[in-house]
Amino acid sequence: MEGVVNNFALSIFIWDGKRKMAGVSRRKSLNFPSILTALSIHWTIIAGEYFTPFNVTYDHRALIIAGKRRILISAGIHYPRATPEMWPKLIARSKEGGADVIETYTFWNGHEPTRGQYNFEGRYDIVKFAKLVGSHGLYLFLRIGPYACAEWNFGGFPVWLRDIPGIEFRTDNAPFKEEMERYVKKIVDLMIAESLFSWQGGPIILLQIENEYGNFESSFGPKGKIYMKWAAEMAVGLGAGVPWVMCQQTDAPEYIIDTCNAYYCDGFTPNSEKKPKIWTENWDGGFADWGERLPHRPSEDIAFAIARFFQRGGSLQNYYMYFGGTNFGRTAGGPAQITSYDYDAPLDEYGLPRQPKWGHLKDLHAAIKLCEPALVAADSPQYIKLGPKQEAHVYRGASNNYGQDLSLNEGICAAFIANIDEHESATVKFYGQEYTLPPWSVSILPDCRNTAFNTAKVTAQTSIKTVGSDSVSVGNNSLIPQLSTKSNLESISQSWMTLKEPLGVWGDKNFTSKGILEHLNVTKDQSDYLWYLTRIYISDDDISFWKQKDVSPTIDIDSMRDFVRIFVNGQLAGSVKGKWIKVVQPVNLVQGYNDILLLSETVGLQNYGAFLEKDGAGFKGQIKLTGCKNGDINLTTSLWTYQVGLKGEFLKVYDVNSTESAGWTELPNDAIPTIFSWYKTKFDAPGRTDPVALDLSSMGKGQAWVNGHHIGRYWTLVAPNNGCERTCDYRGAYGFDKCRTNCGEITQAWYHIPRSWLNTSNNVLVIFEETDRTPFEISISTRSTETICAQVSEKHYPPLHTWSHSEFDGKISLTDKAPEMHLQCDEGHTISSIEFASYGDPNGSCQTFSQGKCHAANSLSVVSQACKGRNSCSIGISNAVVGDACRHIVKSLAVQAKCSPPPDLSISASS
């Protein structure tokens, strides 16, 4: 990384009141390093010194950083989806995986929960996050938005925004533009004040205004284009001094880089020949909804997509997500998105590498970096057609006669050879040599001769994690969902307290109004829950009519989202889940007055689409009681009493400082289950430092808190039994429904408890449960890698670390051509045993390995000697290392090992 220093000199700038440098046009590119040198007014900054101040510009080929074109790998990490204590390790693992850049959105509703009152603390300490990125020598791509989508509640918009008179979101609307500019300016000014832009020696090299607006611009008619141009000009006028992008915006102005979001962006072309090709969102997995299957995108396909992007002129690729994290509290988007935002990302929800995805992509990044000198030296590649579905792109540097067939010994050269056939391997001839490529794969040749990497050949280990998460083993084009749950899990506690949550109106802040009020207009999203209560009179004639006809009356709701529970006279009649669906609920009524109680529940506000401010929640249309003798009774115009939230929420019974005066009582083990109950217990944290997860598979629907921290919503809906493939074939274009997993299982059973939220002992767990489940089977456990496997052939490529650039002429050299197997346990864990090792022609895949006809007898001893007792090890794949058991066949080494944690010192001390 260029220009990393411990201290830097910052020059004084004189800024006018319009947030631009005095005397300089707002659109004119500012060469900040030159100005710094010219002014020569310096002082040392004590905190936040990460780089020598540098300028960021761009041309048609790439971003130009400190005067040099760069090919960049970016890792998406959303800071509020992890704790500040997790950030350093997440950033470090991203860097270890080959990232140059960390990307994040900003989250308006987290930073300004109340208009004019800002929050930049805790998980929303964006300044701390940015400084950590810089301290690791990485750049920061800040996507200010302020619309984020991101499967985040209300797309990142604060709910108070919809209450501003006359407002219309994301269009040529003065109230919205005023609020948007105020927030964007707040973020830019904060970054400037903290010296976080590149020209100040900070890590920020790139900014984004708006987000995927081009997908909906036409929905707003002519005002859409006016707004888009305004947003672009407003952003550039804030004096950030680095380039701005707009993703999915084909009509972006000339001074804004338009970028691509998709599973594949190799075919994307910016709207100007002066702009580089940038991939702002590479969807490496996906999100999940309650009651649905889980996403899985094969490592081979992601690698193929990325290699094709850089093969065809790409300059910056960002993983959406590299680490997904957790939707803590009520931050999950809607409708009905789960608390986990794992995303099948290279780093899992807990921050652990997901193998082989993380390792395979790390190797890909290393191969691309070996090609970087040639990639940035060439303005465009030489295209060579090698077959009907095979092609090469060649990048050369230091050439006066570019475009002609140079000798491979002249200048620097890198090549990408692609086989885009979805079914068949292909052998092609390239510069006199033959290369065999698997289907749907790209081979990368950093020196135009030797293959460093093929996207379909995975040598990275597979890791099987404990705790009831779905672990995926990929081998021989198969996808094997494995529930690796520890069988000896014990319940977290058998001693619980309980508190009954009243149904309906419970406080003095309720009010009565005629008609059905829109949910968010009442709750302001301060709670998921809104009670609607009315009373109706039923005559003897109606009761007789229903008995005579043998029918039941129904409560009909024209349209409802996300979830409703219907109570009659204090008894639950039924519940319905959906997004703006019709509800028809049979009810039992009695003669006389009957209380009709509706509980409307939000499960994440809409985060995607046009006109978000108009979507709302709760009920639309008419609410009627149907089937009466004299016709339907329209309840829409009745008097309704409204109560926001739960009494337990209002009393904050989940707070560790809450007193017992709330009415907690002991919960007997044989207690009769009831609905709408609070439960509380104390527990000790699991030993060691591994991530911690809470098993709520025994519960129904509700929310959970640990030591006052809101873990999030839980819901034990089960995914459909169908729709999961027995095998996952990486070949061919990936789509949202391909390679789905977890059929017939609870969508999310385990919930992340960050270590920093735990004490050694006396941790307080509070559960609010809506159904009649009791908490006695709730368990807690750590998450770690228990089994690691790998299989590497002697025909695989040399490890990437054996390649190097010459400091003299930039050419590539290769020191050792022998393949290598690398195994590694989680941090602090060691390889305790080798469960299988065979060099020859082993059969099967991870957890099903078996010896083939050819087997080197000393395989186990060689691997054990190299690996046992160590956190990581490497083994050369050659006859010289393991022995030649069978001549004249291509041999491979297959290994399965067990990882074990260090001793739990807390247990030793207590014993």
Side-chain angles (χ1 to χ4, degrees), residues 76-83 85-87 89-90 93 123 284 286-288 290 294-295 321-329 331-332 337-355 357-358 465-470 690-694 696 710-714 747-755 757 783-784:
I77 299 175
H78 295 161
Y79 50 96
R81 284 177 159 142
T83 61
E85 292 78 8
M86 295 172 65
W87 293 344
K89 190 167 289 186
L90 294 173
R93 282 178 174 157
R123 291 186 294 113
D284 51 18
F287 57 88
W290 301 109
L294 298 180
M321 303 292 298
Y322 198 77
F323 163 80
T326 306
N327 294 314
F328 295 115
T331 60
Q337 284 157 13
I338 66 175
T339 296
S340 170
Y341 201 63
D342 179 88
Y343 215 84
D344 196 44
L347 295 177
D348 70 16
E349 180 181 2
Y350 302 84
L352 299 175
R354 169 174 276 110
Q355 298 282 29
K357 183 173 284 189
W358 184 84
K465 297 184 176 73
T466 59
V467 181
S469 61
D470 283 328
D690 295 325
V692 177
L694 187 68
L696 295 175
H710 198 172
I711 297 299
R713 304 181 182 96
Y714 67 86
T747 304
Q748 183 176 357
W750 292 89
Y751 294 79
H752 182 205
I753 308 176
R755 275 282 181 180
W757 291 0
R783 179 183 176 94
S784 62

Side-chain angles (χ1 to χ4, degrees), residues 14 230 885:
I14 308 301
W230 167 85

Side-chain angles (χ1 to χ4, degrees), residues 27-30 32 54-59 62-66 72 140-144 188 197-199 203-209 232 235-236 239-246 254-259 274-276 278 316:
R27 287 194 189 177
K28 189 173 182 179
S29 176
L30 303 180
F32 287 97
F54 61 94
N55 196 20
V56 181
T57 58
Y58 59 87
D59 63 12
L63 291 181
I64 299 173
I65 295 177
L72 298 170
L140 180 63
F141 174 18
L142 191 61
R143 303 171 72 188
I144 298 177
V188 170
F197 285 107
S198 63
W199 50 271
I204 300 176
I205 62 168
L206 199 60
L207 297 171
Q208 179 177 300
I209 192 69
V236 172
V242 298
W244 288 83
V245 308
M246 281 183 158
E254 73 278 2
Y255 50 88
I256 298 284
I257 305 171
D258 59 307
T259 66
K274 299 178 181 179
K275 301 177 184 181
I278 292 177
L316 183 153

Side-chain angles (χ1 to χ4, degrees), residues 5 27 39 54 65 74 77 136 150 156 167 190 298 334 342 437 499 646 688 747 776 832 837 840 850 877 890 899 911:
V5 292
R27 287 194 189 177
L39 290 177
F54 61 94
I65 295 177
S74 176
I77 299 175
H136 283 79
I167 200 165
L190 179 62
D342 179 88
L437 285 78
L499 178 66
L646 307 172
R688 308 184 188 93
T747 304
F776 293 111
S832 57
S850 63
I877 310 300
V890 176
C899 294
S911 59

